[in-house]
Amino acid sequence: METITKTQSVYFYVPNLIGYTRIVLAASSLYYMPWHPKLCVLLYCISCLLDAVDGVAARYFDQCNRFGAVLDMVTDSSHYMHMYSSMTVGLSSHKKLSESDSWFLRLYYTNNVVLFLMCAGNELFYVTLYVLKYFGPINVYWIIALVISGTICFAKNFVNIVQIVNASRVLVSIDEEEKAKALSAKRM
C-alpha cells in the first residue's frame, strides 16, 4: 500500500501515532492507579495490545523508520540494549537474527504467536497481581491465572536476559575491535 508522500512527516506516520497513543495510555493508567483500578487496568491493557499493532502498521503502510523503532524501544525498555546493538552492527531490525544467536531468542522474534503470547502473558501477570489487590480474595481461578502468566513472565524475563547477554557480547566485540584499531593506529 503506497501511503507515503513527500510532504508527510515521519512524526505523523501511523505506527508512530500508535506509539504516542501507547505512551499517553500508559501514563494515564499510572495516573488512575491509586483510586480507579478498573480504568487503570483497561488503559494499561489497551496500551500493551497496541504494542502488537505498531509493527504491523509500519509494515502494512510501508512506514518502517528509525524514529519509530526507537519510539517502540523506549516504550519497551527491555529491548534497549538489544536494539542498540542491532543498530550498531548495521541491522535494519532488532528482529533479524543469525543462526548463531540463541534459539530461544530466534523463536521469540520469528514466531508472531510466541512473541504475542510472551508479551501478553508477561503483562497479564503484573495486571493480575494489581487486580488481586482490589478484587481478591484469591481462589483457584486466580491461582491458575497467576501460575500460567507467572510462568510466561519468567520466560519473558529469560528472553530479556538473553537479549542483554547477546547485546553485551556484540557491543564488547565492537569496542574491542575499535580499541585494537586505535592501538594499531597509535603504533604507526
Side-chain angles (χ1 to χ4, degrees):
M1 169 172 266
E2 188 63 36
T3 61
I4 299 174
T5 65
K6 291 182 180 182
T7 60
Q8 184 178 20
S9 172
V10 171
Y11 288 115
F12 298 107
Y13 280 5
V14 172
N16 297 343
L17 296 174
I18 293 169
Y20 308 145
T21 303
R22 288 182 60 208
I23 292 168
V24 169
L25 289 169
S28 298
S29 76
L30 290 174
Y31 174 78
Y32 287 109
M33 186 178 273
W35 66 85
H36 205 301
K38 288 180 184 176
L39 183 57
C40 170
V41 169
L42 177 66
L43 294 171
Y44 186 77
C45 287
I46 293 171
S47 174
C48 291
L49 289 173
L50 286 177
D51 184 30
V53 176
D54 58 358
V56 173
R59 289 182 292 280
Y60 180 80
F61 292 112
D62 192 24
Q63 294 181 338
C64 296
N65 60 91
R66 287 183 186 91
F67 174 75
V70 172
L71 181 64
D72 189 50
M73 178 179 59
V74 168
T75 56
D76 300 333
S77 60
S78 67
H79 285 39
Y80 180 76
M81 190 177 226
H82 177 66
M83 177 82 101
Y84 180 78
S85 69
S86 298
M87 292 173 91
T88 301
V89 297
L91 295 177
S92 60
S93 170
H94 64 289
K95 294 181 180 180
K96 292 187 178 181
L97 302 168
S98 69
E99 287 297 316
S100 64
D101 289 316
S102 162
W103 68 270
F104 195 66
L105 200 56
R106 285 195 322 270
L107 174 66
Y108 177 77
Y109 279 122
T110 59
N111 186 319
N112 288 335
V113 173
V114 170
L115 178 63
F116 177 80
L117 290 176
M118 294 284 277
C119 293
N122 183 63
E123 299 302 331
L124 183 60
F125 177 70
Y126 296 117
V127 168
T128 302
L129 289 174
Y130 174 74
V131 168
L132 276 173
K133 178 180 189 246
Y134 293 98
F135 303 108
I138 194 164
N139 59 34
V140 70
Y141 299 110
W142 287 115
I143 292 171
I144 291 170
L146 284 171
V147 167
I148 292 171
S149 63
T151 302
I152 294 170
C153 180
F154 177 82
K156 172 70 170 89
N157 282 289
F158 178 75
V159 167
N160 293 347
I161 292 168
V162 171
Q163 286 176 324
I164 289 170
V165 168
N166 284 353
S168 297
R169 288 179 180 157
V170 168
L171 293 173
V172 167
S173 173
I174 291 169
D175 286 342
E176 287 176 349
E177 284 178 27
E178 289 177 357
K179 180 180 172 184
K181 286 179 185 177
L183 287 173
S184 176
K186 279 184 179 180
R187 291 182 189 144
M188 293 184 172

